[in-house]
Amino acid sequence: MITLILCGGSGTRLWPISRQLLPKQYYPLFDEGSLFEATVKRNAPICDSFAIAANRDQAFIALDQLKKLGFEGKNGLFEPVGRNTAPAIALIAMSLQIDEIILVTPSDHLILNEDAYKAALEQAKAFASEGKIVVFGIKPTYPETGYGYIQYHGNDVVMFKEKPDSERAKAYFESGEYLWNSGMFCFKAGAFLEELRLYAPDVYSTCLAIHKELGGAALLEPSKAQMERIPSIAVDVAVMERSKNMSVVPCDIGWNDLGSFDSLYAVAFDSSKQNAILAEDDPIFIDSSHNLILAAEKKKIVLIGIQDIAVVDTPDALLLVHRGESQKVKDAVEILRRERSPLLDSHMTVNRPWGLYTILLENDRVKVKRLTVFPGKRLSLQKHMRRQEHWVCVDGLGRVNLNGGEMLLRRNEDVFISAGDVHRLECVGEDPLVVIETQIGEYFGEDDIIRLEDDYNRD
């Protein structure tokens, strides 16, 4: 059995923690690591291998976290543009043997009862071995309006239901005949593709054509034009809601999709402190309870006379929201989107395939970054037309390629790069290379990079 981890989505309801270049599944919310890493760990004892479906600009994060845990993603799809879940699953299924069992799971869900989860997987695997399309249904604990529902009888799916209003959700919950749709599925590759061919033939045929164009590779990197040919459709709509070959595994696995700060509060609440705390430094609470504190950096946070508030603090944004109102974060995100705010794109520290950089200072005259290049890694060969750069080595050993010539860059040494100079920076030592980069010019955007040679196609 192979685990296909779906890494799409930007997690806008968890802004400002979740950003376009570092969505919630990769963010280290808990001491144990990211939600993506937790997904890998709980499936590793059960599955033989992993496949990743991810945005091309974020795929390296998934691969790095997978490698850190001792695994490889030999199968995968790196999308230049998303077309929802049905095409992603189809393209990867086409790279597998028809009898290979696929466990499809989102990368950003929390599961607390792993023993019950393993038991559910074994049951699902048995149904999938018989050719069934299996959905995992979560036993509801309250009448939630934000999830789709599955009407069921035993292990038979009666009908899928759209997200209900509050009155209908209450009726579903009280009837005992419905489960939440978890978004996790299990099936043989061939069984899924046959259902897709039957119920969404345009998606099937387009994916098949593109898969052939890509040479049937296990690791697929289609072009933007190729992906845009595929109809955008969720797997629930394309197959699950139409298939007559469905089975459901009812689960009570401590499942939470962490889709809002309210759901995060429910998971992190500490009864001994009467607050939920996800921060390096313990906050001070004076006459304050039932709050969520989420701080991205070591900073002392003090609450006095505050009740039922989520405080989400990052270096470049601060969110305060009443508990019960956190679904409205998406409204704030929409305002920022209309303002074309860079706060939706990235944090002050940005992960790249070669390492990471942190913005230390930025105004209309200068931009200062700290670059950390990992051993054996290098930036693209590039030039800028609207800025100059000054590099000062703080630690490590680097090699600079400048207009065809090469030089070593040691601690406390520097190099100046003029607009139009062709340059590249590489770490050649055993330790990370740390460089302070000062940009001076008329424009400091990341799009003022003309890449001439790129190891990653996305750095």
Side-chain angles (χ1 to χ4, degrees):
M1 184 161 67
I2 185 171
T3 299
L4 166 55
I5 306 178
L6 301 176
C7 303
S10 56
T12 55
R13 289 178 296 172
L14 287 185
W15 181 89
I17 290 298
S18 188
R19 310 281 178 103
Q20 182 64 35
L21 293 180
L22 190 71
K24 66 174 181 175
Q25 58 263 32
Y26 303 124
Y27 191 90
L29 278 171
F30 305 101
D31 292 339
E32 296 80 7
S34 70
L35 293 169
F36 175 86
E37 289 173 305
T39 302
V40 173
K41 289 176 184 177
R42 70 172 165 266
N43 288 297
I46 305 161
C47 296
D48 304 313
S49 58
F50 292 92
I52 305 298
N55 180 285
R56 188 174 63 188
D57 292 333
Q58 304 160 1
F60 72 92
I61 305 177
L63 293 177
D64 285 348
Q65 293 189 1
L66 199 62
K67 185 177 180 181
K68 185 174 77 172
L69 297 173
F71 301 99
E72 288 186 79
K74 295 181 180 179
N75 293 82
L77 170 67
F78 300 162
E79 301 172 309
V81 58
R83 305 307 286 164
N84 219 312
T85 51
I89 297 169
L91 284 166
I92 289 179
M94 289 171 179
S95 299
L96 303 173
Q97 297 295 317
I98 60 172
D99 287 332
E100 179 84 52
I101 295 177
I102 307 173
L103 169 66
V104 179
T105 177
S107 60
D108 55 357
H109 290 181
L110 186 67
I111 292 174
L112 299 176
N113 190 338
E114 295 201 7
D115 288 338
Y117 176 70
K118 290 176 183 176
L121 278 190
E122 290 299 333
Q123 189 178 8
K125 186 176 179 180
F127 284 130
S129 297
E130 298 171 358
K132 291 288 188 178
I133 306 296
V134 185
V135 58
F136 294 80
I138 306 300
K139 294 180 180 178
T141 53
Y142 61 95
E144 169 64 51
T145 60
Y147 302 144
Y149 282 73
I150 304 166
Q151 188 177 12
Y152 78 111
H153 179 72
N155 293 113
D156 296 328
V157 175
V158 178
M159 189 178 296
F160 278 78
K161 302 285 188 178
E162 295 293 333
K163 296 176 182 178
D165 56 28
S166 56
E167 185 176 340
R168 192 164 297 171
K170 185 178 179 182
Y172 288 171
F173 176 68
E174 292 176 348
S175 74
E177 298 177 359
Y178 294 84
L179 301 166
W180 289 335
N181 181 7
S182 69
M184 298 186 296
F185 310 99
C186 188
F187 40 70
K188 286 183 179 180
F192 171 78
L193 291 173
E194 177 58 26
E195 296 296 280
L196 186 70
R197 186 192 64 79
L198 183 61
Y199 295 107
D202 52 341
V203 178
Y204 174 85
S205 59
T206 309
C207 286
L208 184 61
I210 291 171
H211 191 267
K212 290 179 179 178
E213 290 170 15
L214 296 171
L219 196 60
L220 303 169
E221 297 192 66
S223 68
K224 186 171 183 286
Q226 285 174 318
M227 285 302 296
E228 287 180 338
R229 283 161 47 194
I230 306 174
S232 179
I233 187 170
V235 68
D236 306 68
V237 178
V239 173
M240 305 305 167
E241 294 177 3
R242 306 179 189 183
S243 176
K244 305 299 188 293
N245 188 34
M246 297 286 300
S247 290
V248 62
V249 175
C251 306
D252 187 4
I253 55 178
W255 176 88
N256 193 314
D257 74 342
L258 295 182
S260 69
F261 290 113
D262 290 327
S263 59
L264 192 57
Y265 167 87
V267 170
F269 182 74
D270 185 340
S271 58
S272 67
K273 298 181 180 179
Q274 287 297 296
N275 288 282
I277 304 168
L278 294 169
E280 289 187 39
D281 203 351
D282 281 345
I284 294 174
F285 297 105
I286 300 174
D287 298 328
S288 299
S289 63
H290 298 93
N291 301 292
L292 168 66
I293 308 297
L294 205 169
E297 290 192 339
K298 192 175 180 65
K299 180 188 294 185
K300 182 60 73 175
I301 294 176
V302 181
L303 271 66
I304 302 174
I306 301 295
Q307 316 293 327
D308 300 312
I309 293 290
V311 179
V312 186
D313 182 61
T314 69
D316 57 353
L318 173 66
L319 171 71
L320 303 176
V321 57
H322 270 287
R323 284 183 45 233
E325 300 281 339
S326 68
Q327 293 287 346
K328 295 181 181 178
V329 171
K330 65 180 184 295
D331 298 331
V333 168
E334 185 55 38
I335 292 171
L336 291 169
R337 184 172 287 116
R338 291 199 298 267
E339 295 177 351
R340 298 183 178 179
S341 172
L343 292 173
L344 297 181
D345 298 329
S346 62
H347 291 274
M348 301 291 280
T349 295
V350 179
N351 293 281
R352 304 312 304 150
W354 44 262
L356 53 89
Y357 69 81
T358 300
I359 299 172
L360 305 177
L361 172 68
E362 183 173 14
N363 56 41
D364 59 353
R365 297 174 60 84
V366 65
K367 185 173 186 176
V368 181
K369 293 181 177 179
R370 181 176 64 244
L371 310 181
T372 302
V373 186
F374 297 150
K377 300 291 186 178
R378 62 182 185 176
L379 282 68
S380 62
L381 186 68
Q382 60 185 251
K383 63 182 178 179
H384 314 292
M385 305 310 297
R386 303 172 67 182
R387 68 176 187 246
Q388 303 90 44
E389 294 180 345
H390 181 216
W391 289 343
V392 178
C393 180
V394 175
D395 207 358
L397 178 64
R399 179 164 53 223
V400 177
N401 184 312
L402 183 60
N403 293 324
E406 290 188 349
M407 66 186 79
L408 290 177
L409 186 63
R410 302 176 179 86
R411 188 174 184 181
N412 208 32
E413 294 180 344
D414 68 339
V415 62
F416 184 79
I417 299 160
S418 298
D421 281 351
V422 176
H423 60 282
R424 164 178 268 155
L425 181 63
E426 180 179 3
C427 177
V428 294
E430 296 181 355
D431 299 317
L433 172 65
V434 181
V435 169
I436 301 300
E437 175 184 275
T438 302
Q439 301 176 6
I440 299 175
E442 60 181 82
Y443 181 68
F444 308 122
E446 293 301 307
D447 53 342
D448 183 29
I449 301 177
I450 300 173
R451 292 183 175 86
L452 306 174
E453 184 181 312
D454 188 355
D455 295 343
Y456 316 103
N457 297 318
R458 49 189 171 273
D459 80 336

